[in-house]
């Protein structure tokens, strides 16, 4: 058996890579899908998804509510082709910032760089794949060279960027997105990272070391002596500042994992740490396969989040969990939202407002601190 260096996909007689390329699907606001969701999805998780669509399209997107909307992404969504949904939402101003696992952003880069992931079967012999140098994410297949070449691009970007200090992940992804657009003109049509940079949508990663992007940043420090660091404190404060500035706040949570908490913890950071009672999230939509009974955060319900001050106790009717595979539910959800009367909003361009928002957080936190001191003296 070979050791874990990739085999050679070009020389195999097996046809693992003969499936159709996976393309980013772009929702268009189909009236038929809206009809199905309104009239056909009536009970159980179809009913919950219908409810989620209604909360998003009629309340969160309503101009008078001016909701700041965070999208969290976990699970293998970009490998499965769902990046196009995210691009469309960002482009239309329907999400204002994103918190994603590093894996989804890393795999998005393959599309930006024109590497092909293919439809395949989950019922293949992984020992054959291993010999042929093919990577499998359930039924998504691609040659290991895609990883190696994407990694090479990241390392070249790191050198080119001359980034040499501690920065937030939003800044890192913004710079990466600009670089992609410069080197692969037009890739903003099929890359979340590139489109986010263009649309002014900040992208955060809750666990920056946990992906091939983080692995290459670590390489850059060790091998090139770079002082580029991902500064999680900056991320925590920026997300907090964005939530603080929101007239109303709402989230769409895909899967669970650390992005879910990274979004939700902004409210406790405000009241528990900075002494600023913001009042909790106003809307909460989650599409997940995670269950509540295991006690994990991924499956925790909006009502459990109330006890933490993450969700406003008065808004439970505006919260919903649809227990579905996101690869099915999210494109339907996006079709519904895009076809609704609020299917386009002015973009908030938060990526360029981060500094001012954090300054406002500092001002409010200092004022809250003063109040605490005065109270303690009395
Ligand atoms: N090369 C890399 O950088 C790297 C690193 C980590 C993971 N990966 C790959 O990327 C994939 C995604 O990993 P990840 O860290 O983003 O998340 P993950 O696969 O660990 O999933 C996290 C959460 O999403 C939920 N979830 C997963 N699939 C779902 C679905 N279809 N519908 C609804 N909920 C779902 C899970 O229950 C969990 O709460 C992995 O399967 C792995 O193959 C790659």
């Amino acid at each position: 058996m070979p050791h874990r260096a990739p085999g050679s996909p070009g020389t195999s007689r097996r046809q693992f890579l003969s499936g159709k390329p996976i393309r980013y699907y772009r929702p268009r606001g189909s009236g038929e899908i809206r009809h199905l969701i309104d009239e056909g999805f009536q009970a159980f998780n179809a009913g919950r998804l219908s409810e989620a669509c209604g909360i998003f399209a009629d309340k969160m997107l309503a101009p008078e509510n001016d909701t700041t909307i965070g999208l969290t992404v976990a699970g293998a969504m970009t490998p499965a082709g769902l990046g196009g949904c995210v691009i469309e939402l960002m482009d239309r101003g329907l999400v204002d910032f994103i918190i994603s696992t590093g894996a989804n952003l890393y795999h998005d880069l393959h599309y930006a760089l024109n590497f092909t992931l293919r439809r395949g079967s989950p019922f293949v012999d992984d020992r054959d794949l291993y010999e042929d140098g093919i990577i499998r994410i359930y039924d998504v297949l691609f040659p290991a060279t895609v990883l190696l070449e994407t990694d090479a691009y990241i390392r070249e970007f790191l050198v080119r960027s001359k980034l040499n200090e501690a920065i937030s992940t939003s800044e890192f992804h913004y710079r990466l997105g600009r670089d992609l657009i410069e080197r692969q003109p037009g890739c903003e049509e099929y890359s979340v990272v590139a489109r986010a940079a263009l649309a002014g949508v900040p992208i955060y990663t809750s666990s920056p070391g946990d992906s091939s992007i983080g692995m290459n940043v670590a390489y850059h420090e060790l091998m090139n002596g770079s002082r580029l660091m991902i500064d999680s404190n900056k991320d925590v404060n920026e997300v907090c500042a964005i939530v603080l500035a929101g007239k109303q706040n709402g989230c769409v949570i895909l899967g669970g994992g650390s992005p879910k908490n990274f979004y939700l913890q902004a409210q406790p950071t405000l009241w528990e740490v900075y002494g600023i009672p913001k009042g909790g999230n106003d809307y909460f939509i989650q599409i997940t396969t995670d269950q509540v009974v295991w006690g994990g955060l991924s499956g925790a319900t909006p009502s459990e989040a109330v006890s933490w001050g993450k969700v406003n106790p008065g808004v439970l009717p505006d919260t919903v969990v649809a227990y579905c595979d996101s690869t099915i539910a999210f494109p339907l959800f996006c079709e519904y939202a895009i076809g609704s009367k609020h299917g386009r909003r002015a973009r908030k361009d938060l990526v360029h407002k981060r500094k001012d928002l954090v300054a406002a957080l500092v001002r409010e936190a200092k004022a809250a601190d003063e109040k605490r001191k005065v109270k303690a003296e009395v």
Side-chain angles (χ1 to χ4, degrees):
M1 287 295 281
H3 60 82
R4 191 62 192 101
S8 178
T11 56
S12 173
R13 273 175 288 127
R14 290 178 283 245
Q15 297 293 307
F16 292 122
L17 296 176
S18 59
K20 278 172 87 171
I22 293 185
R23 304 267 185 238
Y24 274 177
Y25 170 78
R26 292 286 283 272
R28 296 188 195 130
S30 154
E32 267 135 33
I33 291 178
R34 283 181 59 79
H35 176 72
L36 170 71
I37 290 172
D38 279 335
E39 305 302 328
F41 284 9
Q42 303 172 73
F44 310 150
N45 284 297
R48 298 296 75 67
L49 183 59
S50 176
E51 227 178 280
C53 289
I55 291 170
F56 189 68
D58 301 336
K59 295 185 177 177
M60 289 169 72
L61 297 182
E64 64 274 19
N65 292 335
D66 189 20
T67 311
T68 298
I69 301 174
L71 172 73
T72 82
V73 187
M77 298 298 119
T78 55
L82 268 72
C85 292
V86 180
I87 289 175
E88 198 64 43
L89 292 186
M90 289 191 294
D91 195 46
R92 292 169 166 268
L94 307 186
V95 298
D96 302 306
F97 67 105
I98 292 175
I99 302 170
S100 171
T101 60
N104 275 304
L105 303 174
Y106 173 70
H107 292 306
D108 174 73
L109 301 182
H110 312 325
Y111 296 85
L113 299 170
N114 264 326
F115 300 136
T116 307
L117 281 58
R118 290 188 181 272
R119 302 184 198 185
S121 164
F123 310 111
V124 284
D125 188 328
D126 286 282
R127 292 165 300 184
D128 290 341
L129 293 181
Y130 180 68
E131 270 182 24
D132 285 6
I134 293 170
I135 305 288
R136 179 169 82 86
I137 302 177
Y138 194 57
D139 56 355
V140 175
L141 303 175
F142 53 96
T145 46
V146 166
L147 300 180
L148 298 176
E149 289 178 38
T150 304
D151 289 13
Y153 161 77
I154 295 169
R155 289 199 295 274
E156 284 158 22
F157 157 72
L158 289 170
V159 172
R160 219 172 19 246
S161 72
K162 299 195 173 65
L163 287 167
N164 202 32
E165 68 277 330
I167 60 170
S168 62
T169 56
S170 61
E171 183 62 21
F172 181 86
H173 296 133
Y174 177 68
R175 299 284 286 266
L176 185 62
R178 304 288 336 172
D179 188 81
L180 286 169
I181 293 167
E182 204 181 305
R183 302 188 75 81
Q184 300 281 134
C187 74
E188 64 274 13
E189 291 303 325
Y190 42 90
S191 160
V192 171
V193 175
R195 191 50 159 245
L198 201 68
V201 174
I203 301 184
Y204 297 91
T205 303
S206 41
S207 47
D210 178 28
S211 81
S212 300
I213 297 180
M215 284 145 60
N216 283 293
V217 171
Y219 169 98
H220 191 48
E221 181 192 65
L222 202 66
M223 304 302 282
N224 301 336
S226 165
R227 297 166 71 89
L228 168 66
M229 297 281 290
I230 297 300
D231 185 343
S232 292
N233 295 345
K234 286 194 162 68
D235 285 359
V236 170
N237 286 328
E238 282 184 20
V239 171
C240 222
I242 289 171
V243 169
L244 176 64
K247 183 179 166 209
Q248 294 205 330
N249 288 288
C251 54
V252 177
I253 297 170
L254 300 184
S258 63
K260 176 183 178 184
N261 186 65
F262 206 75
Y263 172 82
L264 289 174
Q265 73 172 13
Q267 295 279 357
T269 311
L270 286 172
W271 72 257
E272 178 188 331
V273 180
Y274 286 118
I276 308 169
K278 173 76 177 162
N281 229 31
D282 301 288
Y283 306 99
F284 176 123
I285 290 169
Q286 184 175 11
I287 297 168
T288 190
T289 49
D290 292 306
Q291 296 295 310
V292 65
V293 291
W294 310 119
L297 187 276
S298 293
T301 57
S303 91
E304 186 175 328
V306 167
S307 71
W308 287 83
K310 291 173 172 175
V311 170
N312 185 324
V315 303
L316 275 180
D318 292 332
T319 67
V320 63
V321 181
Y323 294 99
C324 307
D325 180 336
S326 307
T327 59
I328 301 169
F330 189 53
L332 295 171
F333 177 87
C334 292
E335 288 285 0
Y336 192 95
I338 285 160
S340 77
K341 65 174 187 268
H342 305 312
R344 194 176 283 283
R345 299 193 307 174
R347 294 199 288 255
K348 290 197 193 307
D349 197 27
L350 293 177
V351 99
H352 298 114
K353 296 181 180 156
R354 290 169 296 161
K355 216 170 144 200
D356 291 345
L357 294 176
V358 172
L361 169 64
V362 172
R363 278 197 303 278
E364 286 214 34
K366 283 193 172 153
D369 228 27
E370 282 306 312
K371 265 194 218 155
R372 273 199 286 210
K373 277 184 202 149
V374 172
K375 236 186 190 171
E377 279 163 18
V378 175

